[in-house]
């Protein structure tokens, strides 16, 4: 059974940092491209960052220079380091693993507020 489990969310003040983790099991992780998405209340889910099987990365403009995505294939885990967080970063963060099929995690809540 394939599982993606996100963790690391929480409440943080503006300017703070969080590191999200997406731990995968039940799949040959290293062949999957992985994306982090977020969904703010009342808004559509948006793509935040991606990392390919070869560790090429992309970011949405609003997080460039603040977020970093990385992967550890030995641990079947992808990370999203989020620095200098802003209230607009608030939302539920999901990871998705994609190859010939795709799998989603259940999400982790990130709230940026003073």
């Amino acid at each position: 059974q394939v599982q993606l489990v996100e963790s690391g969310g929480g409440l943080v003040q503006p300017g703070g940092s969080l590191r999200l983790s997406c731990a995968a099991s039940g799949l040959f992780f290293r062949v999957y491209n992985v994306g982090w998405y977020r969904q703010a209340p009342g808004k559509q889910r948006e793509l935040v960052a991606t990392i390919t099987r070869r560790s090429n990365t992309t970011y949405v403009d609003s997080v460039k220079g603040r977020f970093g995505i990385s992967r550890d294939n030995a641990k079947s885990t992808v990370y999203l380091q989020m620095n200098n967080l802003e209230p607009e970063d608030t939302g539920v963060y999901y990871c998705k693993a994609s190859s010939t099929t795709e799998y989603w995690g259940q999400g982790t809540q990130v709230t940026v507020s003073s």
Side-chain angles (χ1 to χ4, degrees), residues 37-54:
Y37 294 72
R38 67 185 176 194
Q39 188 165 19
K43 294 188 176 181
Q44 290 189 332
R45 192 174 297 188
E46 68 168 343
L47 179 61
V48 175
T50 64
I51 186 164
T52 69
R53 54 186 288 182
R54 301 188 186 279

Side-chain angles (χ1 to χ4, degrees), residues 9-13 18 109-114:
L11 173 64
V12 63
Q13 292 187 341
L18 287 173
Q109 176 70 47
V110 171
T111 303
V112 185
S113 174
S114 56

